Amino acid sequence: MLRNRRDEITKGINDIVGEHGIISVRILNHSGVIKFSSNEAEINKHISRTDELCTNCHYKKESESIYPANTAYSSHFHRDSNLIYTSLPIYNSPTCYNADCHESANNNIAMNNSLPKSVHDSSQTILGFIEMKVSAKKIMADLNRTRIELITLTIVIALLAAGISYISITLLVGRPVKKMVEGMQRVAEGNFNEEIPPGKGELGFLATSFNLMQKKLSSAQTRLIESAKLASIGKLANEIANEINNPLTGIIIYVESLINRSNDEEERRDLELILSQAMQIRDNVRNIFSGNVEKKPRFTTVDIMAIVRHVVSVLGNLSNFKSIQTNISTHNDLPAILADPEMIEQAIFALFLAFSEDMPTGGLLDVNAEYIEKDKKIQIKFMDTGNAIPENEWLVLTEEKGELPTTGTSKIGLTLFVFKQIIELHRGKIAFESRKEEGKLVVVLLPA
Amino acid sequence: MMPKSVKILVIDEHEIILKSISRALRSSQEILYDVTTTNTAIEGLKLVRNNIYDLVLIDAFLSGMSARETVRRIKNISPLTRVVYMYGHTSGNEIVEYMETGDGILLKPFNTEEIKSTISRILIA
């Protein structure tokens, strides 16, 4: 417009009409003359000052004007015609009234004296208006279409995102979790053989942990089955022993009674033979059924000093034991105790053997037993005149749950350690004293 | 000191055990053993309620009420009565528990001397 290219302006106006619901476009000067229009018939026509375009300012106070200073445009909606009227004021500015095109226009004016001398006066505020009539229906249709497109696009994106997430979750989480669930079901059914393929990341770590747990469960189950078998065998053995022991008690007591009442020497001898055979059966039953099903003490009534004497008599045949003087004494009558005779015998045997090796040139082995009535316990003191217990081992032995290593420990240390364990299995207590000059003292307390 | 007269109750499901113990103890010259026998724990408890026994010999493996429960009730009814379990199994698994709840254990099969020595040891203690 500044260059006064009227054809281009007319073409531009015609081009935009029909686009985006624009029905018509026209450009008016401030006097109300239509200078350009998409409707050629109305060019140079004059619009009334009562037209809404004019009354917006001219019949309102300035404060009520729809074009307060430098307003860019104004729109208003005609509900009846369903049209939107948009008007843009063309403000005057130095670039308008000082532009070259105006000078050339002025030159033309100068050449043609019939035309006024100037186009725009710098005192003018508004030069004119661009007014567009837009179809509200078309805009609303466009808006609706855009909204539908947006909604459709959102749904498509959401579906795509959901699909991608579903595939990702299925591949990365769902399948490994499904395999893990199947693995758990297999384990629940008692099948520990198939492993879950280990993957990557946290689920992979979980699968590895699960496989490890499965291996441990399998191993535990195997051990459990073995234990159950052993326990069943042990239980069966116990029940059989009980079934034999009940009638055997009757046989023993009745035979004893018959022996006491019999006056016939031959009959007594026969009965005593029956009794000795019955006692033999008792011993056999105990030996058979107290076999090594479990490594626990097999309790029976035991005369512990008889075991001590038996061990001494056996060891007496050894050459290095012959130079050792033995002294076995009891303070008072000792009751029988409940103990595993085999275990006790082995422990005392090992103890005396270790003592004897500590006294290679001879010495004294003293065993003294006493029944402590108020505590219902038998106290046995085992003493020798051999070497002292190595101090570090003695310290471990005196601890309540001290354990000596199997390598690097002296023979006497290991023997005393095993001896202590056997005594504790019999609910007994043990104490050690060790002096360089006076040898060793082992004090045992066993419940009577 | 061992009393001259001892009142004993024997609880065992095996008739041979009841008869054998009665025979073994009644043959004693030095001490008068008054032996009562029963083959059920319930009957045994009734007898303990109505009589004063010095000692009860009870089979460790009773069907029905367990021996340990029976012993617990006997001790509630008559705290001074001594109780000895008769144990016919060979396993040491449970024997420690019996040693803790009773006053003694008599391992089956036993002979006359073992019964008498066990009774006197328990009663003197």
Side-chain angles (χ1 to χ4, degrees):
Chain A
M1 198 181 290
L2 288 171
R3 292 178 185 176
N4 202 23
R5 294 176 184 167
R6 300 181 69 86
D7 294 342
E8 285 179 23
I9 294 168
T10 303
K11 186 176 180 298
I13 285 170
N14 290 330
D15 283 350
I16 62 170
V17 170
E19 297 266 331
H20 307 293
I22 298 169
I23 293 167
S24 68
V25 177
R26 54 186 183 177
I27 299 172
L28 306 87
N29 65 16
H30 199 191
S31 306
V33 179
I34 300 167
K35 303 300 284 183
F36 300 92
S37 174
S38 54
N39 180 7
E40 282 181 18
E42 63 177 6
I43 292 173
N44 291 326
K45 283 191 176 171
H46 192 273
I47 64 161
S48 163
R49 212 166 177 173
T50 57
D51 190 280
E52 198 170 351
L53 185 65
C54 304
T55 57
N56 278 332
C57 294
H58 291 284
Y59 291 98
K60 287 181 180 175
K61 293 176 190 169
E62 195 167 336
S63 60
E64 293 171 342
S65 168
I66 58 165
Y67 304 119
N70 297 321
T71 298
Y73 70 94
S74 160
S75 290
H76 57 274
F77 174 58
H78 275 217
R79 191 172 294 278
D80 297 338
S81 60
N82 209 14
L83 292 172
I84 297 167
Y85 288 85
T86 300
S87 53
L88 293 89
I90 303 166
Y91 290 102
N92 194 10
S93 67
T95 51
C96 291
Y97 51 79
N98 293 327
D100 289 345
C101 61
H102 286 251
E103 279 184 17
S104 63
N106 287 340
N107 291 338
N108 289 336
I109 293 162
M111 285 187 284
N112 186 356
N113 287 329
S114 62
L115 291 170
K117 230 179 172 184
S118 62
V119 178
H120 306 304
D121 193 291
S122 62
S123 62
Q124 274 187 273
T125 307
I126 290 174
L127 302 179
F129 299 92
I130 300 171
E131 190 193 52
M132 283 194 297
K133 204 193 296 178
V134 184
S135 165
K137 193 178 171 186
K138 175 77 169 70
I139 287 177
M140 290 310 290
D142 284 352
L143 276 174
N144 280 337
R145 196 182 64 245
T146 308
R147 191 163 57 191
I148 289 165
E149 280 172 4
L150 271 173
I151 290 169
T152 311
L153 191 65
T154 306
I155 290 169
V156 168
I157 289 171
L159 285 173
L160 265 174
I164 290 166
S165 299
Y166 175 78
I167 292 165
S168 306
I169 290 169
T170 304
L171 288 175
L172 299 173
V173 181
R175 281 190 190 170
V177 168
K178 193 182 171 194
K179 281 178 185 167
M180 213 166 290
V181 170
E182 286 168 359
M184 283 176 185
Q185 282 170 344
R186 280 200 305 275
V187 169
E189 287 161 7
N191 176 6
F192 301 111
N193 299 326
E194 282 182 56
E195 288 194 355
I196 298 169
K200 289 176 184 172
E202 289 176 349
L203 281 167
F205 178 73
L206 195 61
T208 309
S209 303
F210 182 84
N211 289 338
L212 188 66
M213 180 203 74
Q214 191 171 277
K215 273 183 195 165
K216 295 209 169 189
L217 268 175
S218 174
S219 149
Q221 192 197 37
T222 310
R223 285 203 305 273
L224 200 65
I225 290 168
E226 291 300 319
S227 304
K229 279 182 191 167
L230 287 175
S232 302
I233 294 166
K235 196 178 169 196
L236 184 65
N238 269 328
E239 282 169 6
I240 293 169
N242 197 35
E243 289 310 308
I244 296 171
N245 286 335
N246 280 313
L248 202 53
T249 306
I251 292 168
I252 291 167
I253 289 173
Y254 270 79
V255 171
E256 281 178 335
S257 174
L258 288 171
I259 291 169
N260 289 338
R261 283 194 294 175
S262 174
N263 295 321
D264 185 334
E265 194 58 34
E266 200 179 334
E267 188 184 72
R268 282 174 69 92
R269 273 203 302 274
D270 290 345
L271 289 168
E272 277 165 1
L273 184 64
I274 294 170
L275 183 63
S276 73
Q277 292 304 301
M279 297 306 271
Q280 184 63 49
I281 294 171
R282 176 174 86 163
D283 293 343
N284 289 343
V285 167
R286 284 182 181 168
N287 289 337
I288 292 165
F289 292 105
S290 63
N292 291 323
V293 175
E294 293 164 76
K295 287 179 182 173
K296 287 188 176 171
R298 308 282 166 180
F299 289 94
T300 187
T301 316
V302 166
D303 177 352
I304 194 157
M305 292 313 282
I307 293 176
V308 170
R309 286 189 194 93
H310 174 69
V311 171
V312 169
S313 72
V314 173
L315 283 172
N317 298 319
L318 295 174
S319 57
N320 66 331
F321 210 83
K322 281 181 178 156
S323 57
I324 294 169
Q325 187 192 336
T326 54
N327 181 20
I328 300 168
S329 60
T330 50
H331 247 290
N332 46 15
D333 286 341
L334 302 180
I337 61 164
L338 282 171
D340 183 323
E342 201 177 318
M343 232 183 224
I344 291 285
E345 187 179 315
Q346 283 170 359
I348 293 173
F349 193 92
L351 181 73
F352 286 0
L353 200 63
F355 275 6
S356 72
E357 286 174 7
D358 259 3
M359 299 182 283
T361 54
L364 175 68
L365 170 60
D366 189 283
V367 183
N368 178 262
E370 181 185 359
Y371 176 54
I372 303 169
E373 199 167 331
K374 70 177 174 62
D375 296 334
K376 289 192 195 171
K377 287 188 193 309
I378 289 178
Q379 178 185 272
I380 311 168
K381 290 179 178 175
F382 300 93
M383 285 173 281
D384 79 346
T385 52
N387 298 325
I389 308 166
E391 195 175 346
N392 59 329
E393 293 173 10
W394 177 80
L395 284 170
V396 175
L397 287 167
T398 51
E399 285 173 20
E400 196 177 339
K401 287 183 179 172
E403 285 200 19
L404 282 168
T406 49
T407 52
T409 303
S410 69
K411 185 170 181 184
I412 186 68
L414 273 180
T415 305
L416 290 173
F417 177 59
V418 174
F419 190 74
K420 181 185 172 187
Q421 287 186 318
I422 291 173
I423 295 301
E424 284 171 352
L425 272 175
H426 287 76
R427 298 196 312 148
K429 290 192 172 170
I430 192 162
F432 305 95
E433 274 186 33
S434 177
R435 292 185 196 116
K436 223 171 194 177
E437 303 299 322
E438 298 170 41
K440 300 175 278 292
L441 168 64
V442 179
V443 184
V444 170
L445 272 175
L446 285 166
Chain B
M1 189 172 166
M2 186 66 187
K4 289 287 173 196
S5 168
V6 178
K7 200 168 165 68
I8 290 177
L9 172 65
V10 187
I11 308 171
D12 198 305
E13 288 169 354
H14 302 89
E15 201 63 30
I16 186 72
I17 296 291
L18 300 178
K19 282 186 177 171
S20 303
I21 293 173
S22 298
R23 178 174 276 253
L25 295 179
R26 279 171 192 155
S27 67
S28 172
Q29 303 290 316
E30 311 85 35
I31 298 161
L32 178 65
Y33 289 99
D34 177 4
V35 182
T36 308
T37 62
T38 177
N39 55 9
T40 68
I42 300 294
E43 182 63 26
L45 286 171
K46 274 186 198 166
L47 288 163
V48 170
R49 266 191 212 99
N50 300 324
N51 300 276
I52 295 168
Y53 292 100
D54 297 304
L55 188 136
V56 174
L57 287 165
I58 183 167
D59 185 20
F61 301 97
L62 292 173
S63 54
M65 188 188 293
S66 75
R68 265 178 281 181
E69 177 59 19
T70 312
V71 169
R72 193 185 65 76
R73 293 188 186 197
I74 290 171
K75 290 283 184 185
N76 276 344
I77 298 164
S78 177
L80 293 178
T81 299
R82 301 300 181 94
V83 180
V84 173
Y85 287 104
M86 294 181 289
Y87 191 86
H89 287 193
T90 52
S91 164
N93 290 354
E94 301 133 331
I95 203 161
V96 175
E97 292 169 39
Y98 289 115
M99 283 164 84
E100 282 165 0
T101 53
D103 296 295
I105 288 180
L106 189 57
L107 290 175
K108 289 179 181 177
F110 41 79
N111 61 20
T112 308
E113 186 49 41
E114 282 169 354
I115 306 173
K116 287 179 181 172
S117 64
T118 303
I119 291 171
S120 33
R121 185 161 56 86
I122 299 294
L123 290 180
I124 290 169

